[in-house]
Amino acid sequence: MQITTWQADAAGAPLQRSSAELLPPGPGEALLEVLHCGLCHSDLSMLDNHWGISSYPLVAGHEAVGRVVAVGEGVPETLIGQLRGLGWIAGSCSHCALCLGGDQNLCADLEASVVGRSGGFASHVKAQQDWLIPIPDSLDPALAGPLFCGGITVFAPLIDEAVSPTAHVGVIGIGGLGHMALQFARAWGCQVTAITTNPAKAEEARGFGAHEIQLLGDLAATPNRYDLIINTTNQPLDWDAVVNALAPKGRLHQLGVTLEPIPFNVFPFIAGRRQFTGSPTSSPASLLKMMEFCARHGIQPQVESLPMHEINTAIARLRSGDVRYRFVLDGPA
Ligand SMILES: [Zn+2]
Ligand SMILES: [Zn+2]
């Protein structure tokens, strides 16, 4: 079938409206008609080939919400008409030890939605059934897209690492990821501090659930404070100040893809049993639980919606940091 896409023909090139051939859904797959698709920083990294894994023409977009319009072999027809969301991962092998153990996002054969596949900045997108997550009735589908990448990225360090509700959680960076991290950590029951370089975001951060605001430059003055720091930024930081702000047995969880190596003094890790961790999105089970959690607590991303044909405007504004807090492109493509 022919689908409409917004594709880049080369690294950094503006997106062009185009049409492309899409094979029908294969075994275990379903086809979504895209209604909305969020714009993530990783889309910029892919469009610019920052990670060296892009191939052109490239159709980005990995926060898609749409209706199932066709199913492949082995997928029940009852899926047709359902509202589903798709994030960074569109497929995994489903039979390796990691997949069988519920860690499908760590599968060696996982397929990213926009790496060697056509993503959500299009009229249609395909994925394996397991990675197309139902959207609860109480959530607005026009706002739900960013949950499927940005949202699960910050929900994972809470659910997959079983964070205690008594924890004091610091979130560095109050942007597309951070504003959702504050909401999740607050609803989780934690003491929540927004850590930012921008005091102008203090009031909004409180609105997202932060009990307190701390300026990033003040971290060195509060040693042993946090049980968990979630760093959503990819900028070089005063890493020793960040680590020393962790309480003994505290954990620094890195989500921003910092391109430079991170230099640490190891003593705080040894003496205080501190940890450094990271995570890539999460499993279908955690995605399902996140959607249930959002429905229960009324959590939703704060988005600015634009029609899909204004996608180049959204990309230019995201590049300049001019978004609060996530763009969603509305179909039709
Ligand atoms: Zn696998
Ligand atoms: Zn993303």
Side-chain angles (χ1 to χ4, degrees):
M1 68 179 283
Q2 288 288 313
I3 63 166
T4 301
T5 62
W6 284 89
Q7 69 178 44
D9 291 326
L15 305 197
Q16 313 266 11
R17 193 166 191 267
S18 182
S19 63
E21 187 73 27
L22 191 74
L23 296 173
E29 286 189 331
L31 180 69
L32 281 190
E33 180 179 9
V34 176
L35 300 173
H36 314 278
C37 190
L39 174 64
C40 173
H41 269 279
S42 300
D43 288 315
L44 302 188
S45 299
M46 285 299 297
L47 290 168
D48 295 344
N49 198 18
H50 276 162
W51 300 331
I53 55 173
S54 305
S55 55
Y56 300 88
L58 173 71
V59 180
H62 58 275
E63 292 183 340
V65 168
R67 280 202 191 277
V68 177
V69 291
V71 294
E73 187 189 328
V75 180
E77 301 248 331
T78 50
L79 246 72
I80 292 176
Q82 288 189 21
L83 205 52
R84 298 259 169 155
L86 171 67
W88 178 257
I89 301 174
S92 46
C93 86
S94 75
H95 53 256
C96 73
L98 288 160
C99 283
L100 292 170
D103 291 313
Q104 293 94 330
N105 57 314
L106 306 181
C107 174
D109 292 325
L110 68 80
E111 291 186 54
S113 304
V114 297
V115 182
R117 300 180 68 104
S118 182
F121 298 144
S123 59
H124 296 78
V125 66
K126 270 189 311 192
Q128 280 181 6
Q129 178 190 355
D130 290 352
W131 291 100
L132 292 169
I133 306 300
I135 297 172
D137 289 343
S138 64
L139 295 185
D140 182 347
L143 307 179
L147 292 170
F148 291 99
C149 180
I152 191 63
T153 296
V154 293
F155 190 63
L158 298 175
I159 189 166
D160 295 344
E161 310 282 348
V163 167
S164 164
T166 61
H168 188 171
V169 177
V171 176
I172 301 180
I174 311 308
L177 268 62
H179 88 284
M180 289 188 268
L182 295 176
Q183 296 183 66
F184 284 134
R186 178 64 182 253
W188 203 261
C190 299
Q191 176 74 15
V192 184
T193 298
I195 304 170
T196 177
T197 54
N198 184 357
K201 284 191 176 172
E203 195 173 321
E204 287 177 67
R206 284 197 178 85
F208 295 129
H211 296 94
E212 300 164 88
I213 315 297
Q214 183 173 32
L215 289 177
L216 185 60
D218 293 344
L219 266 188
T222 55
N224 303 320
R225 186 174 201 218
Y226 296 102
D227 301 298
L228 171 66
I229 293 178
I230 298 173
N231 182 18
T232 68
T233 72
N234 62 1
Q235 301 302 310
L237 300 178
D238 178 350
W239 295 105
D240 285 332
V242 176
V243 171
N244 285 316
L246 291 172
K249 295 168 77 174
R251 187 160 59 85
L252 170 57
H253 195 89
Q254 181 70 24
L255 296 172
V257 181
T258 307
L259 293 176
E260 301 79 23
I262 297 179
F264 283 131
N265 283 308
V266 300
F267 194 69
F269 291 93
I270 295 170
R273 288 183 56 196
R274 293 174 180 85
Q275 300 175 65
F276 179 80
T277 52
S279 56
T281 175
S282 195
S283 64
S286 290
L287 279 156
L288 287 166
K289 288 174 186 168
M290 175 187 70
M291 297 311 285
E292 192 184 318
F293 191 78
C294 288
R296 187 185 308 149
H297 294 285
I299 292 172
Q300 62 184 30
Q302 182 162 320
V303 314
E304 182 176 343
S305 298
L306 289 174
M308 186 93 65
H309 63 80
E310 290 184 34
I311 189 165
N312 286 306
T313 302
I315 288 171
R317 286 186 51 198
L318 179 60
R319 285 188 195 284
S320 65
D322 176 22
V323 57
R324 289 211 177 162
Y325 281 83
R326 202 74 156 175
F327 281 117
V328 169
L329 286 312
D330 293 334

